[in-house]
Amino acid sequence: MISPSHIAIIMDGNGRWGLKKYNNRNKGHYYGLLNINKVIEHCIKIKIKYLTLYTFSTENWNRPKKEIDYLFFLFKYFYKKNFNKLNKNNIKIKFIGDLKNIPKDLKIIIKKIEDKTKNNDAITVIFAFNYGAKSELVNAFKNIIKNKTKVNEINEELINNYLYTNNIPDPDILIRTGGEKRLSNFLLWQLSYAELFFINKNWPDFNFFDLKKVIKAFGVTKRKFGGLNE
Ligand code: FPP
């Protein structure tokens, strides 16, 4: 059985869950946030080294202001409520995304969280925040050109180094909850060889058993990376 080191998750279905249970989409985001804490604990238990969570995409700006404001509120709530515990549990937190264009108070919090947890090593939890894979690639290519890179210096490793995820190994597994089967502009370069798992449950209902099922299915997968099985 092979074990994954990096799991990426598209936590979809919060809105539908909230509407169905409380007639309120934001309630779904709140319970989705509570589930993030649980899933981080599960991942530590099974020795996952990296967990990347899609918390806010560059396309999420198209939602009603009330919902965007609530997501930003939740972000601050998450920091206030959980930071000490996360830090005490030796969790390193990183953010990827276009962090230039987010409200200033969030930027300050992000910097604080990253600085204070940078030496922790139980797991690295990466929050994709104002993240879009296409915008990440555009940003990388602009910087490659700005640095006057020569054509023959451009290779996969160099492009990796210009992504928000440099120094982070590519995900072994992508999980998307909520029943839809699409990537929604998430880690398009980094997911090239990930095993994809689409789960027919909304994110607030995703639990340890679901995670273990995914890990078990991954464990018996033959990963060939374009080659042949021996
Ligand atoms: C997708 O569900 C989920 C999101 C757009 C946001 C994910 C956010 C959280 C889990 C909680 C907030 C966490 C932080 C740290 C800010 P959806 O709203 O697209 O669900 P739907 O498909 O049912 O509409």
Side-chain angles (χ1 to χ4, degrees):
M1 286 266 284
I2 45 165
S3 309
S5 126
H6 185 171
I7 297 182
I9 308 184
I10 300 177
M11 306 175 290
D12 197 17
N14 287 345
R16 276 165 285 165
W17 188 95
L19 272 181
K20 197 164 162 211
K21 260 195 119 118
Y22 295 98
N23 201 22
N24 179 337
R25 287 182 55 81
N26 283 348
K27 277 268 188 206
H29 293 311
Y30 175 73
Y31 282 93
L33 180 69
L34 298 187
N35 205 28
I36 289 181
N37 281 318
K38 289 193 211 146
V39 170
I40 294 175
E41 282 172 25
H42 303 329
C43 284
I44 294 178
K45 227 181 277 166
I46 55 175
K47 301 204 164 30
I48 301 297
K49 292 314 287 177
Y50 299 89
L51 173 68
T52 300
L53 301 170
Y54 207 3
T55 54
F56 191 83
S57 77
T58 45
E59 289 73 30
N60 286 152
W61 290 105
N62 297 324
R63 295 193 175 198
K65 184 169 179 311
K66 197 170 143 233
E67 186 165 334
I68 296 174
D69 286 348
Y70 187 72
L71 283 167
F72 288 179
F73 159 79
L74 272 188
F75 177 87
K76 287 180 243 179
Y77 174 84
F78 175 82
Y79 166 70
K80 268 215 173 104
K81 190 117 176 110
N82 302 311
F83 179 75
N84 287 338
K85 188 168 163 225
L86 293 169
N87 198 21
K88 215 171 89 212
N89 289 344
N90 200 17
I91 295 164
K92 178 169 173 170
I93 301 177
K94 270 184 70 69
F95 290 83
I96 56 170
D98 180 2
L99 302 178
K100 287 188 300 298
N101 293 320
I102 59 167
K104 200 169 161 214
D105 55 340
L106 295 187
K107 259 190 244 178
I108 293 171
I109 295 176
I110 286 176
K111 193 165 173 344
K112 250 194 210 154
I113 299 179
E114 287 192 328
D115 278 356
K116 286 195 181 160
T117 63
K118 67 173 187 278
N119 295 321
N120 295 346
D121 63 3
I123 187 171
T124 302
V125 180
I126 301 136
F127 288 94
F129 194 70
N130 198 21
Y131 176 87
K134 289 189 175 178
S135 119
E136 175 182 35
L137 286 165
V138 168
N139 181 58
F141 299 150
K142 279 185 180 165
N143 287 329
I144 288 170
I145 290 171
K146 261 191 216 152
N147 287 345
K148 302 197 176 3
T149 313
K150 300 206 172 66
V151 168
N152 60 5
E153 286 169 352
I154 296 179
N155 54 32
E156 291 179 15
E157 195 192 339
L158 180 125
I159 292 176
N160 269 328
N161 292 340
Y162 277 88
L163 299 178
Y164 300 135
T165 49
N166 68 45
N167 294 323
I168 298 171
D170 286 347
D172 304 294
I173 289 177
L174 169 80
I175 297 172
R176 179 180 187 132
T177 59
E180 311 283 354
K181 294 188 176 136
R182 54 174 173 263
L183 295 179
S184 298
N185 201 16
F186 188 42
L187 301 174
L188 298 181
W189 171 281
Q190 298 86 337
L191 290 175
S192 307
Y193 274 104
E195 301 294 327
L196 311 181
F197 293 87
F198 298 100
I199 310 290
N200 242 335
K201 269 186 172 183
N202 293 322
W203 171 248
D205 288 331
F206 181 82
N207 62 33
F208 194 38
F209 298 106
D210 301 316
L211 182 64
K212 290 229 294 213
K213 258 194 247 163
V214 167
I215 306 279
K216 197 167 164 209
F218 175 84
V220 294
T221 303
K222 292 199 167 52
R223 301 186 84 200
K224 297 185 288 185
F225 297 98
L228 300 173
N229 286 329
E230 296 96 68

